[in-house]
Amino acid sequence: MTASPPPPPPSATTCPQGQVDPRRTSCPQARATSHAPRRRAPPPRPAPFALLALAFALLLPAGVRADDAVIHLWHAYRGVEEEALAAILDAHRRAGGPRVELLALPYDAFGSKLGAAIPLGEGPDLYIDSHERLGDYQKRGIVAPVADAFEGPAAFFANTIEAVSLGGAPWALPLSQKCVALYINLDLVDAPPATLEGISVLRDSLPPGAFPLVYESQSAYAHAALLGAFGGALLGPGDSFGFVGEPAERSLDLARALIDQRLVPADADGALVTNLFRAGKAAYAISGPWLAADLALAPDLHYRVAPLPAVEAAGGAPMRPLLTVEAVMLSPQGAQRAEVRALARHLASASAAQIRQDRARTLSARADVALPPGDDLLAAFAAQAAVAIPMPSSPAMRATWEPAQRALKKVLRGEASPRDATEGAQRRFDDVRRPPPPAASPTPLLILLGLLSLAGAFALVRRARSGELLPELRRSLPAYRYTAHAVVIVGLLVIAPLLVGAATSLFAGRPQDGLYVGLANFVEILTARGGPLLASGSFYVVLLVTLLWTLTNVIFHLAIGVSLGALLSRPTMRLRGLYRVLLIIPWAVPNYVTALAWKGMFHRQYGAVTGLIEGLNHLFGFNLEPIAWFSRFSTAFAANCATNIWLGFPFMMVVTLGALTGVPADVLEAAEVDGASRWQRLWRVTLPIIRPTLAPAVTLGAIWTFNMFNVVFLVSGGEPDGTTDILVSEAYRWAFTRDAQYGYAAAYAVLIFLMLFAITRLGELRSARRAARDRAAAAQAGAPGGVR
């Protein structure tokens, strides 16, 4: 729950007498001779200005190139794919090519890194990424046409050319193809099923606990293969929402039937698919080539890969998964260099494709590269890729995933019919994709800023004319020398981002084509985008959930932390040190690690909580059913709270232990002599004394909990249907999963800041009034004739 405080800024060397001389390593008094005249030294020059220069150097855009002949290539490869890329570049270098600098980045952060670096003239000359991002990259101006780097369409498979083309022209060079296929556990079955529905015959013949089929049933990406068999698509013509209508409803009915018949496990994610198939608990699995890498850890497992089966309910049509094409793309600055285009052509060449196929076992996008003889895995994926549907590269595709996935989960959990779920998803998609508010005139804002500037200038002139400003400024100059670096660093790292975020909230649209809309984002948030104010996902509903979340967690943090602190502060308790170390571990472990661990514990089928329920059933003869924790708001909210309470109580415990050391022992002894019970001493003596120490801790805990993104995002993910989202996770979704509406997300952030600032100020005012009342009561008690 908590973040570690920032380290203190580097300080200068301090003498025993408190004098500071950052230019020396010992005290000036230690070097002064007895005969030297004692004169007042001028104020020393602080060394932190050197640190300030270093900070500016670190904050400047990285990647300034000393050698323009070097080619910069970014990628997200790992393992054998990265080794294959290095071998390809080594061959290019031996053939006389220029030196290439590689930079491997995490896939999830790849697009944001490109978007931040390339517009500034930095970043890579070319990069390798998935084709579905091409439309977004083109709209943001960070990709350029491949021009003469393209060898021609005859060298590549037609579907790969279709995938990397925008407006009929190729904007990237295809390298490899990836899609899902059918893995067959040869220890349980010996052939693929004729149809998907045919797996039902295995239900009674498999070992206990085994499933006929495992796949990520709640993933829209995996469900797209079923949808494709019925002729549907996630994104329709003209960037319309495609996951609606008869094909979508029939595919959802079939997915629901597979789970109801216990042919497919519910709540299966990628890790569960891997574990079940590797453990021999599944006859078939639908996954991509990444599963083969994981299965290499199970040498005793015998399996093969085949194309996905046909779907009887779809008239015998084959399942058609989405096809992802990895491609090399040129940045605008890189496309202007002939050597960069030559390198791109080499990366997409037949010789490079052969290296990738031999070393990384990837399916090439080139039609002139033959598959290795006897490689059944690549042959199966090649057959599947031939009928796969290239994933749309339109920017609208990013806005499709969230509503489609929520509709899928609602149907699989029985919360809505396929028609209601898909129509609700379409409304959500249309709401996210609707045009931004009309542009507003910046004149009122400029007038307001001008008036504030005039008011500030008038105040400065008034103080200067009073004769107080300059003397105060001269007296403060030595202090300013020591604090200037901290002011500048805090200004750059804290104040500037706050101002940029506040300014962003006044704009709408994507960063590259945003327009000033004034307070329109705030109006849309506070009016629930024109819908019912208490509709699901509206600002007010999310705010109520956030307040309930904060209040629940802080109460439990305080109750558990104070109780444990009081218990561990007892001097007669044995092994107190050991207990303190053990109880602080939840706070010491990174919260995202704890969140993922607790999410696994709450899994409906294989979680530790389910195992505990089954153990109780076995021991005491109960008939308790496993809990679907994330199918209802109450249980999902409880799972989030349990995780965050586990993370947060050690902080309150540590604060309480520190506060209790300041409770005078003679006061407690006097209360005991007066006949106060243990509870009365705690409630009437101890708690009032430690309350001033606990109050700031409670405020900090409330702020941290109010913005606890990791737990909500990683444990429940907002499920069911976004009802457990809090304000900060809702802001994240508007920025990164709903068509990159950064201005709208920034408006959410500004509202969060204003609410927390107001709550903090109210708490401070309340504490000040209480302190004033206490002082007045003390003064009255001490006055002549007052109550003693």
Side-chain angles (χ1 to χ4, degrees):
M1 183 189 75
T2 59
S4 300
S11 59
T13 303
T14 305
C15 303
Q17 289 81 358
Q19 297 178 355
V20 180
D21 192 343
R23 296 169 297 175
R24 300 173 173 89
T25 58
S26 61
C27 299
Q29 288 86 344
R31 292 192 299 272
T33 59
S34 59
H35 61 273
R38 300 297 296 262
R39 294 185 300 172
R40 181 180 297 274
R45 262 180 104 183
F49 280 113
L51 297 177
L52 179 60
L54 177 61
F56 272 118
L58 294 175
L59 290 172
L60 288 175
V64 178
R65 303 168 188 173
D67 183 6
D68 289 338
V70 176
I71 297 177
H72 297 259
L73 171 62
W74 289 9
H75 65 92
Y77 285 152
R78 293 293 184 273
V80 292
E81 289 183 315
E82 188 173 14
E83 295 172 4
L85 177 62
I88 293 170
L89 295 177
D90 184 61
H92 183 66
R93 177 73 170 172
R94 291 197 305 269
R99 185 167 64 90
V100 179
E101 286 191 359
L102 289 174
L103 179 61
L105 295 172
Y107 178 78
D108 292 340
F110 200 85
S112 60
K113 296 289 186 183
L114 291 174
I118 292 179
L120 298 177
E122 303 300 331
D125 296 300
L126 70 169
Y127 50 93
I128 299 173
D129 201 359
S130 301
H131 82 278
E132 68 266 17
R133 294 178 171 179
L134 259 178
D136 180 59
Y137 289 167
Q138 182 197 45
K139 194 170 184 179
R140 294 160 66 181
I142 59 177
V143 68
V146 293
D148 59 352
F150 184 51
E151 190 174 332
F156 302 92
F157 291 106
N159 55 355
T160 64
I161 296 297
E162 177 189 352
V164 300
S165 295
L166 297 173
W171 280 68
L173 303 178
L175 299 181
S176 59
Q177 310 174 69
K178 290 183 179 179
C179 65
V180 299
L182 186 70
Y183 284 76
I184 306 170
N185 187 339
L186 298 178
D187 297 326
L188 299 178
V189 291
D190 55 5
T195 62
L196 179 63
E197 294 86 345
I199 62 174
S200 60
V201 300
L202 301 174
R203 182 170 45 199
D204 299 326
S205 59
L206 294 176
F211 290 92
L213 174 66
V214 289
Y215 76 101
E216 296 181 58
S217 56
Q218 296 192 358
S219 165
Y221 175 80
H223 183 80
L226 268 180
L227 181 63
F230 288 95
L234 291 174
L235 190 67
D239 287 348
S240 62
F241 188 66
F243 194 49
V244 68
E246 183 182 356
E249 294 171 15
R250 294 177 66 189
S251 68
L252 289 171
D253 283 331
L254 179 56
R256 173 72 185 184
L258 293 175
I259 292 179
D260 290 343
Q261 298 172 25
R262 300 188 180 275
L263 302 177
V264 173
D267 301 330
D269 56 11
L272 183 61
V273 170
T274 300
N275 292 334
L276 288 177
F277 192 79
R278 188 166 54 191
K281 296 293 186 180
Y284 303 104
I286 296 177
S287 189
W290 47 88
L291 179 59
D294 294 328
L295 296 181
L297 302 176
D300 296 333
L301 178 68
H302 303 93
Y303 74 94
R304 69 182 181 92
V305 181
L308 296 175
V311 178
E312 185 178 346
M319 297 175 68
R320 302 188 64 191
L322 293 174
L323 176 69
T324 299
V325 176
E326 289 188 340
V328 58
M329 307 172 191
L330 303 177
S331 66
Q333 61 266 31
Q336 300 175 6
R337 299 171 57 185
E339 63 271 24
V340 173
R341 299 194 300 273
L343 175 61
R345 189 182 182 96
H346 174 73
L347 289 172
S349 66
S351 60
Q354 194 66 54
I355 294 175
R356 280 191 297 272
Q357 184 171 272
D358 294 341
R359 296 203 177 192
R361 213 179 180 189
T362 59
L363 181 62
S364 175
R366 295 187 64 96
D368 55 355
V369 175
L371 295 174
D375 195 329
D376 295 333
L377 184 141
L378 281 182
F381 277 110
Q384 186 64 74
V387 298
I389 302 173
M391 190 183 301
S393 58
S394 168
M397 190 65 190
R398 292 182 63 183
T400 304
W401 295 112
E402 184 184 8
Q405 198 135 309
R406 287 190 176 183
L408 176 61
K409 291 180 178 180
K410 290 173 72 173
V411 172
L412 297 185
R413 291 171 179 166
E415 300 171 5
S417 66
R419 174 166 297 182
D420 292 341
T422 53
E423 289 178 354
Q426 183 176 22
R427 288 192 296 270
R428 184 166 297 177
F429 174 86
D430 293 339
D431 178 64
V432 170
R433 291 281 299 169
R434 72 183 188 181
S441 172
T443 303
L445 177 63
L446 296 177
I447 293 175
L448 177 62
L449 293 177
L451 292 175
L452 292 176
S453 300
L454 287 175
F458 178 76
L460 287 175
V461 170
R462 186 175 180 180
R463 289 198 62 188
R465 294 183 63 182
S466 67
E468 299 177 357
L469 181 62
L470 292 179
E472 290 180 359
L473 186 61
R474 291 192 187 97
R475 288 194 300 268
S476 303
L477 282 178
Y480 290 155
R481 291 192 181 100
Y482 293 114
T483 60
H485 65 287
V487 172
V488 173
I489 292 175
V490 170
L492 289 174
L493 299 180
V494 178
I495 306 300
L498 286 176
L499 295 177
V500 171
T504 303
S505 68
L506 304 177
F507 291 81
R510 289 171 170 264
Q512 67 275 6
D513 54 5
L515 66 158
Y516 177 80
V517 295
L519 300 177
N521 287 327
F522 296 93
V523 172
E524 287 205 347
I525 291 174
L526 297 177
T527 59
R529 299 176 67 86
L533 295 183
L534 296 180
S536 177
S538 71
F539 171 78
Y540 300 99
V541 171
V542 178
L543 175 60
L544 290 175
V545 173
T546 306
L547 294 176
L548 178 62
W549 156 261
T550 304
L551 184 64
T552 303
N553 281 279
V554 170
I555 289 174
F556 277 97
H557 290 164
L558 191 61
I560 298 174
V562 171
S563 300
L564 290 175
L567 183 64
L568 293 176
S569 66
R570 299 178 62 184
T572 58
M573 187 176 187
R574 309 176 90 182
L575 301 177
R576 286 188 303 165
L578 176 62
Y579 294 144
R580 290 178 180 180
V581 171
L582 293 177
L583 289 172
I584 208 173
I585 288 177
W587 191 32
V589 175
N591 54 30
Y592 63 88
V593 175
T594 301
L596 292 175
W598 279 76
K599 181 179 177 64
M601 291 169 58
F602 287 119
H603 193 276
R604 179 181 181 181
Q605 292 172 291
Y606 301 100
V609 178
T610 299
L612 179 61
I613 292 175
E614 292 178 351
L616 293 175
N617 291 341
H618 179 72
L619 288 175
F620 301 102
F622 296 154
N623 193 23
L624 302 175
E625 291 289 334
I627 301 173
W629 286 95
F630 306 115
S631 63
R632 294 189 301 274
F633 170 80
S634 57
T635 52
F637 186 79
N640 285 344
C641 288
T643 305
N644 200 56
I645 290 168
W646 170 261
L647 282 166
F649 79 83
F651 171 71
M652 291 297 179
M653 181 190 73
V654 171
V655 172
T656 302
L657 285 170
L660 288 174
T661 61
V663 178
D666 54 349
V667 176
L668 294 176
E669 292 173 359
E672 186 177 4
V673 169
D674 289 341
S677 65
R678 181 174 296 177
W679 172 255
Q680 288 173 327
R681 293 197 301 272
L682 173 65
W683 189 257
R684 298 294 181 88
V685 179
T686 304
L687 290 182
I689 293 176
I690 68 175
R691 184 176 61 188
T693 304
L694 289 179
V698 171
T699 302
L700 283 175
I703 293 173
W704 290 330
T705 304
F706 197 93
N707 286 325
M708 178 45 68
F709 171 80
N710 283 351
V711 169
V712 174
F713 188 78
L714 295 176
V715 177
S716 73
E719 294 299 326
D721 199 27
T723 55
T724 56
D725 269 324
I726 59 176
L727 288 174
V728 67
S729 61
E730 186 73 5
Y732 169 86
R733 297 188 192 282
W734 281 107
F736 300 107
T737 66
R738 297 174 184 170
D739 212 24
Q741 300 193 40
Y742 297 119
Y744 198 82
Y748 257 97
V750 170
L751 290 174
I752 293 172
F753 172 78
L754 293 176
M755 283 186 289
L756 290 177
F757 179 78
I759 293 172
T760 304
R761 289 296 300 160
L762 289 175
E764 292 176 356
L765 292 175
R766 184 179 178 184
S767 299
R769 285 197 297 267
R770 183 186 296 114
R773 287 197 302 267
D774 293 343
R775 287 194 300 268
Q780 183 180 3
V787 179
R788 293 282 180 179

